[in-house]
Amino acid sequence: MIDLRSDTVTKPTKEMRKASYEAEVGDDVYGEDPTVTLLEEKAAEILGKEAALFVTSGTQGNQIAVLTHCRPGNEILLEEESHIFYYESGAVAALAGVQTRTIPGVNGIMNPQDIESAIRGEDQHFPETGLICIENTHNRAGGAVVPVSNMAEIYKVAQRHAIPVHVDGARLFNAAASTGLSIREFTKHCDTVQICLSKGLGAPVGSIIAGSNDFIKRARKWRKRLGGGLRQVGIIAAPGLIALTQMTERLAEDHENAEFLANGLRGMNPLTIVNAVDTNIVVVDVAGLGMKADEFVQALKEKGVLAVTFGPTLVRLTTHFDVSRRDMETVINTIDEIVKSRK
């Protein structure tokens, strides 16, 4: 099977497996695991923040950020189809006791003026605006890159109102690879950031949240409250260290494969590519075939290709380091067969 469901399906490399086996470990709750300490220090350095914390997943990282920044009764501002709002099971309400106020975006990009207008004034009827969240790259916008200039404008608005900014940067290294900019060009326009090690970077598990020393100290306690205090965590931190230091430079290859795939499908009427393919995600509208997304996904599966539905007639295809250019050629030919069978 050629698996394009997500870049989360990647398998750890042989080097990652070896590093996990050989990792020097200790009890991290006591602060005694040297491997995770090294990972956190390296992550903070790369992301341009004072400190970092290893967490089990991107969702846990985002939730810890909300819990640390906010207090119950606050309101957070975020794009209307952002991961924190759309895919995290209502956790900000269930765990942090905060409500969401969604901002319409264009390709996941929020207008800073809309954000400023949504910030609550001093009135006993209103919740306090406790946090502004940006997702970069934006999953439901098809892996769209939120420009650094937009992030900078939003951060200026936030600073004027003394509101922190958190970036859900699960695929932020994809944004850096797509633009050719340093990752720090993105992270300097926020107070905290979460990055996934287990998506395009290929580690089997884990994410990083980074921010100030004080933020990470408080975040560590929230991680403990959520049951995320781990013991000999170096076994899973070691692959993450390889992901962070060796896998970021190869993301451009995934982007090239996604663009190759999109180009192969663009002339395949009546299919429509609905996203700009900034990074490693291709979203295809199959409505012209008279098929629903789940029907198309099933037809692909029967021919050896895995994908996911992304709407009633939308299908998402995600490239990653476990698929090759030859695989993309096979996928194009497979989809061509399905299209021709519907004519």
Side-chain angles (χ1 to χ4, degrees), residues 3-236:
D3 196 340
L4 300 180
R5 290 173 298 173
S6 176
D7 43 13
T8 62
V9 303
T10 55
K11 304 297 192 297
T13 63
K14 289 182 179 179
E15 187 176 5
M16 289 178 181
R17 294 173 188 269
K18 184 173 185 291
S20 180
Y21 181 77
E22 297 178 347
E24 186 179 357
V25 299
D27 191 322
D28 184 44
V29 174
Y30 288 116
E32 296 175 353
D33 190 295
T35 305
V36 78
T37 297
L38 178 60
L39 170 62
E40 291 169 345
E41 290 173 350
K42 190 66 177 177
E45 175 189 343
I46 290 172
L47 296 171
K49 299 300 182 184
E50 290 181 347
L53 181 68
F54 180 80
V55 294
T56 58
S57 70
T59 293
Q60 187 183 66
N62 287 334
Q63 294 307 316
I64 288 172
V66 174
L67 285 158
T68 306
H69 282 301
C70 299
R71 63 178 183 267
N74 278 175
E75 182 173 75
I76 65 173
L77 306 181
L78 68 177
E79 202 273 335
E80 63 183 354
E81 291 203 325
S82 62
H83 194 280
I84 293 174
F85 177 75
Y86 208 97
Y87 287 124
E88 299 190 9
S89 303
V92 294
L95 301 177
V98 305
Q99 69 181 34
T100 55
R101 189 172 188 182
T102 57
I103 308 295
V106 178
N107 291 327
I109 301 167
M110 297 180 288
N111 187 322
Q113 293 178 347
D114 291 342
I115 290 175
E116 187 142 36
S117 297
I119 293 172
R120 300 288 190 166
E122 292 293 332
D123 189 305
Q124 65 178 333
H125 298 90
F126 300 153
E128 295 90 357
T129 304
L131 183 65
I132 298 168
C133 299
I134 302 170
E135 182 181 339
N136 201 4
T137 63
H138 195 288
N139 178 27
R140 287 198 58 79
V145 175
V146 176
V148 165
S149 58
N150 177 262
M151 294 180 67
E153 291 178 36
I154 291 173
Y155 197 39
K156 288 177 183 177
V157 169
Q159 289 177 314
R160 283 200 298 271
H161 295 271
I163 298 169
V165 172
H166 172 68
V167 170
D168 174 4
R171 296 183 176 94
L172 191 60
F173 280 100
N174 289 90
S178 176
T179 59
L181 297 173
S182 162
I183 194 76
R184 288 192 179 196
E185 289 299 309
F186 293 90
T187 59
K188 71 182 182 182
H189 301 300
C190 65
D191 297 283
T192 59
V193 59
Q194 178 269 128
I195 59 107
C196 277
L197 302 170
S198 58
K199 289 189 170 69
L201 304 187
V205 63
S207 289
I208 291 287
I209 50 175
S212 68
N213 285 322
D214 177 68
F215 171 86
I216 294 299
K217 180 180 178 180
R218 291 182 290 120
R220 190 176 293 275
K221 180 167 283 191
W222 272 115
R223 188 185 69 172
K224 178 65 175 174
R225 289 179 178 129
L226 296 177
L230 303 175
R231 301 302 177 178
Q232 287 70 36
V233 70
I235 289 175
I236 54 176

Side-chain angles (χ1 to χ4, degrees), residues 43 48 236 313 320:
I236 54 176
T313 63
H320 48 81

